Amino acid sequence: MTVYPKPRIPLRPTLSGRSFFSGRGRLPNILDAKNVRHVTSGRVAIALALNELKVKAGDEVLVPAFHCTSMIEPVTWLKATPVFYRITGNTAVDFEDIERRVTNATRALLITHYFGFLQDTMRLRALCDAHGIALIEDCAHCLFGEIDGRPVGAVADYAITSLTKFFPTYDGGCLASSRRSLNEVLLQSAGFAFDAKAATNMLEYALEYGRLKWLSPIIVLPLKVKDRLWRSVKRNDDSPIGPGSSDGGYGFDSAWINKRASLAAHFIAAAASMRRIYDVRRRHYLKLHAAFGNLPGAEPLFADLPEGIAPYVYPLKVADPQRVFPALKQLGVPILRFGEYLAPEMPPGTCPVTAELSQRLLQFPCHQELTDDELDWMIDCIVRTFRDGRKAP
Ligand SMILES: *Cc1c(COP(=O)(O)O)cnc(C)c1O
């Protein structure tokens, strides 16, 4: 496996002084739901939703062919059967394919608003009601948005999100419901070591990318103390202090199912400026869109950015990923590839669109903590890389 240099600019949001207090205007978002539980990851929230629905062995759960494996593992963890449905070329769900796959054993339909772009959720709600199955709305990519005059997540039986994709937190996901009680979802603290790790990891990530420079003389000592503390904790106990979901893993670890999000994640989700996340992500996205419009060998996945949503990333379809991806990674450009790895349970040939996107779709960050200089640098790298490809024999 090729080892690429560390990204030169942050892939995920970093903590900075600007993360807070820059206007807290009301924007409809998934955390507006009547009932919300903060857990350590989005995948844990999916598992809790399925658990609340009493999904068990023999039951079927409709899941999208285009997915990350952390969306599917909670289904197989409960020994239920994931049944994969197709998506269309712009990542909208294929309604006819879903209808075809509903059986007497179907208990729930999991849908995703890819990259922040909303599915036809009211039609999905109607489909679920017609078949008597539950709707689980995966809002990991769309913290913000409104559907039929109500915040995203409101019409689902359960909605989930992943806080680390929008906030500068080490951990965090939410289970939300405006339709059902979450009184039986009982959570406990993961303990002091986890809270300390979540807070210090967030600070270290920020310092790594030159944020919070004024803070570094103050926290160098506590970070040293932390390193020693970790070593002593590790000596007594082999289990990791944080969940794999926070350290880039795709797996689902049931040990974290009943654990509350860290104090830091609770605080950031409550205090971060949502208005800034919304405004800056949209501005960054549109800047990338303008720059990538006429690139040879590249095609934006979406033609425009609808009002009301804050995009997760900028998705770009690439004609020659075998050349472009390693070239950009060598330059230190941060890239995500949602759907690159697909669940082994999915029969081959299930969804030709997914097969293509899995190979050809790259995603670039547009998060609120990128500076203008960083964004310009990234655009320059990407534009040059595509243009070079055209000149090459
Ligand atoms: C990231 C992601 C998840 C899981 O979120 P984690 O917080 O990483 O567990 C679920 N669904 C989608 C669509 C995601 O992108």
Side-chain angles (χ1 to χ4, degrees):
M1 210 171 104
T2 322
V3 179
Y4 296 111
K6 185 187 107 167
R8 296 250 313 255
I9 63 175
L11 178 66
R12 310 185 276 114
T14 45
L15 188 67
S16 79
R18 298 179 305 164
S19 303
F20 308 101
F21 317 121
S22 26
R24 239 187 98 66
R26 283 275 329 122
L27 287 164
N29 71 83
I30 178 183
L31 304 180
D32 291 343
K34 202 182 295 169
N35 305 304
V36 180
R37 292 286 182 278
H38 289 60
V39 288
T40 54
S41 68
R43 63 200 79 175
V44 158
I46 294 175
L48 286 171
L50 296 170
N51 221 5
E52 287 296 288
L53 290 165
K54 311 264 185 303
V55 167
K56 57 183 187 315
D59 291 342
E60 293 175 1
V61 178
L62 288 160
V63 294
F66 189 45
H67 57 251
C68 55
T69 53
S70 49
M71 296 160 63
I72 312 302
E73 288 198 19
V75 178
T76 48
W77 173 65
L78 287 164
K79 304 203 163 52
T81 307
V83 175
F84 299 86
Y85 63 83
R86 291 182 180 184
I87 56 157
T88 66
N90 63 354
T91 66
V93 303
D94 180 335
F95 279 89
E96 279 166 28
D97 195 58
I98 293 177
E99 291 276 5
R100 254 198 306 275
R101 293 175 196 269
V102 175
T103 71
N104 288 335
T106 309
R107 300 296 313 280
L109 167 65
L110 176 70
I111 62 122
T112 299
H113 303 294
Y114 299 100
F115 314 120
F117 294 74
L118 300 177
Q119 300 286 352
D120 186 348
T121 313
M122 296 313 286
R123 192 171 158 203
L124 286 162
R125 178 74 261 174
L127 184 153
C128 287
D129 290 344
H131 291 287
I133 60 182
L135 177 63
I136 303 176
E137 196 177 336
D138 180 337
C139 301
H141 297 181
C142 75
L143 190 66
F144 301 100
E146 229 175 356
I147 293 167
D148 208 35
R150 293 201 287 158
V152 281
V155 302
D157 294 274
Y158 296 97
I160 72 102
T161 196
S162 172
L163 298 177
T164 52
K165 287 169 181 152
F166 284 86
F167 298 106
T169 63
Y170 168 72
D171 65 296
C174 288
L175 175 65
S177 185
S178 292
R179 294 187 148 221
R180 299 191 185 222
S181 147
L182 298 179
N183 292 343
E184 283 170 32
V185 179
L186 302 177
L187 303 176
Q188 44 182 250
S189 162
F192 170 76
F194 172 62
D195 278 326
K197 177 166 184 175
T200 50
N201 183 286
M202 182 168 71
L203 295 172
E204 280 176 313
Y205 188 62
L207 293 176
E208 215 178 293
Y209 282 101
R211 274 71 174 169
L212 301 175
K213 281 206 187 86
W214 56 271
L215 196 63
S216 60
I218 309 171
I219 62 169
V220 164
L221 186 65
L223 289 180
K224 282 212 176 105
V225 171
K226 180 217 69 170
D227 282 341
R228 300 191 69 169
L229 183 70
W230 276 190
R231 276 199 292 276
S232 67
V233 170
K234 285 230 165 104
R235 219 172 299 138
N236 305 329
D237 182 358
D238 273 347
S239 63
I241 296 164
S245 50
S246 292
D247 295 316
Y250 293 110
F252 167 71
D253 180 355
S254 61
W256 290 87
I257 185 133
N258 60 352
K259 299 292 191 290
R260 260 198 298 273
S262 68
L263 291 172
H266 275 93
F267 172 75
I268 299 281
S273 167
M274 293 223 180
R275 170 58 66 179
R276 175 167 170 269
I277 293 176
Y278 178 84
D279 289 345
V280 178
R281 280 183 181 251
R282 288 182 64 87
R283 178 158 55 77
H284 287 173
Y285 183 98
L286 291 172
K287 192 166 181 180
L288 296 173
H289 196 56
F292 299 160
N294 292 312
L295 275 188
E299 185 194 340
L301 182 63
F302 300 107
D304 35 42
L305 179 63
E307 271 305 305
I309 66 157
Y312 163 43
V313 286
Y314 188 90
L316 190 67
K317 258 165 83 176
V318 172
D320 187 6
Q322 281 86 352
R323 181 186 74 83
V324 170
F325 178 76
L328 289 172
K329 290 288 282 186
Q330 282 301 344
L331 293 171
V333 172
I335 307 177
L336 283 166
R337 297 184 79 167
F338 178 85
E340 181 184 10
Y341 302 108
L342 298 167
E345 292 84 4
M346 184 161 78
T350 299
C351 176
V353 171
T354 292
E356 199 200 356
L357 294 181
S358 174
Q359 294 289 313
R360 289 184 41 199
L361 194 68
L362 306 184
Q363 300 111 46
F364 300 102
C366 62
H367 64 74
Q368 67 277 8
E369 301 295 344
L370 292 172
T371 65
D372 287 341
D373 284 350
E374 288 172 338
L375 200 68
D376 289 341
W377 172 83
M378 183 172 80
I379 289 171
D380 191 51
C381 290
I382 295 167
V383 169
R384 276 164 193 261
T385 300
F386 280 94
R387 296 252 150 88
D388 287 353
R390 189 174 45 176
K391 277 183 235 124

